[in-house]
Structure formats: structure tokens, C-alpha cells
Amino acid sequence: MSFQLPKIPYEQTALSPTISKETMDFHFGKHHKAYIDNLNKLLEDSPLKSATLEEIVNKSSGGMFNNAAQAWNHTFYWYCISPNSQDYKPSDNLDKELTKSFGGKDKFLEQFSASAMGNFGSGWTWLVKDSSGKLSIVNTSNADTPITKGLIPLLTVDVWEHAYYIDYRNARKGYLDAFFKSLNWKFASERFDANEVFNCTAVMK
Ligand code: MN
């Protein structure tokens, strides 16, 4: 069975004005969908046809990798924000690690923002956990994703211009400030505790 756009846990108008309906129409409905459609087409004659999305990302290269990784990154991204973000905060476990690694949640957000601002060109900025449990912020370019390096993503922000150009034009900082106010700390905390890569396949079949 081919991959589909993920079931995201909110209405497409629910993130407005942080992310407008128009941006959802394009970013989710066109950009994300195109990566999935391209991937499905490439899988038709591939030995990876029955693999999970996570396996495809880890085993493919070239065009298949680009489309599979972008399909994965975007699905993960939609779970990192929530219209109910004001109700969520980092779990005690995650909060302790944020303090240890960055000096607390607010200091983390400053460093996350600076890293996302400095991520040149198209890419993603991530909060990840390594196999020893240590947190760090990493930037990736284009379709690259930290799951191929054995890292567990807790949060991401898409800094491709298509993520913010409709709502914020060239003001990446305005997008980041608004995005960080809508972070889904419940999701990030679950990722921290689960200690395994999020199963995007499960919400895309
Ligand atoms: Mn995008």
C-alpha cells in the first residue's frame, strides 16, 4: 500500500495565524503531497516497495531518498506544532535535560532560533537526542534528516522558504518566533520518553 498524507491531529485552519490556511493548502496539500506522490511512483519498481518509510529513508539514495526523507520530515514537522500548545509543557524528564544541555527551555529556544536563523538556504533545524540520552541542536540541508545518523528527533522546524513565504515573506525570524509559541511540547516529551524514532509510517498508511 502506498503512502498517503498523514492524519494530522488538528483542522487545517487551526494553526492560523501562526500558519495560515493558505500556507497549509500549499505546504501540506501541495509540497508535502508532491514528495509522497513522487515517492510512491519511485517505489513502484523498487525492492523497497514494501518497506516502512523509516527503512526507505535509511536505505535509499538520490531521488528516492530526497522524496522519502522530505515525506518523513514533513510528517514529523506537522506533529511538532499544535493549536493547544498553551496547554503543554516539557515533561519533568525533558525539562531536566533541557536545563542540563541548554540552561533551560527559554535558553534552548534562543539557541534553537539562532541555529535556525543560521541554517543557510533550504533545510531543517532539529532538537535531537543521541544514544547516550544527550540533547543537541542540529541543522540539516535540503532533505537530510538526523534519523539516518542514529539520532532521535524530538522537534523540528522547516526553514525552507516555502514554509513561511506566504505568511511572513522573507522574515524567517517572524515565522520562527510564532512557530516556537505553538510548539507541541507534549509530542516532544513523548519522543524523549519513547527513546525511538517516531513512526511516521503508522500515520501515512
Ligand atoms: Mn516544507
Side-chain angles (χ1 to χ4, degrees), residues 21-109:
K21 170 77 164 54
E22 190 183 359
T23 290
M24 287 300 294
D25 286 345
F26 279 83
H27 196 190
F28 182 69
K30 295 186 193 295
H31 288 280
H32 192 178
K33 185 169 187 301
Y35 295 125
I36 295 167
D37 289 346
N38 290 338
L39 174 64
N40 286 333
K41 208 166 286 169
L42 290 166
L43 282 171
E44 280 170 12
D45 302 311
S46 163
L48 290 170
K49 190 157 54 176
S50 307
T52 66
L53 184 57
E54 290 74 21
E55 288 167 341
I56 298 166
V57 170
N58 278 296
K59 290 176 179 174
S60 64
S61 59
M64 188 178 294
F65 171 80
N66 286 337
N67 285 288
Q70 282 294 76
W72 197 95
N73 292 346
H74 281 90
T75 292
F76 188 81
Y77 169 79
W78 299 118
Y79 279 83
C80 291
I81 39 179
S82 170
N84 305 316
S85 60
Q86 70 281 356
D87 299 334
Y88 302 145
K89 58 184 175 75
S91 66
D92 290 348
N93 287 341
L94 177 55
D95 196 56
K96 250 177 244 164
E97 263 327 293
L98 288 170
T99 300
K100 207 158 104 187
S101 301
F102 307 106
K105 188 184 100 172
D106 290 345
K107 288 267 194 296
F108 157 71
L109 287 174

Side-chain angles (χ1 to χ4, degrees), residues 3-10 28 32 52-58 68-81 124 126-129 145-148 150-156 184 186-205:
F3 294 98
Q4 297 167 16
L5 273 173
K7 302 162 198 77
I8 49 173
Y10 44 81
F28 182 69
H32 192 178
T52 66
L53 184 57
E54 290 74 21
E55 288 167 341
I56 298 166
V57 170
N58 278 296
Q70 282 294 76
W72 197 95
N73 292 346
H74 281 90
T75 292
F76 188 81
Y77 169 79
W78 299 118
Y79 279 83
C80 291
I81 39 179
W124 301 79
W126 307 79
L127 171 64
V128 297
K129 178 182 173 183
T145 179
I147 70 171
T148 58
L151 297 166
I152 296 172
L154 307 187
L155 287 173
T156 195
N184 187 344
K186 181 167 175 276
F187 178 72
S189 301
E190 286 165 1
R191 308 282 33 95
F192 181 82
D193 290 335
N195 206 29
E196 60 188 15
V197 169
F198 183 59
N199 187 349
C200 285
T201 304
V203 295
M204 296 175 73
K205 284 288 186 181

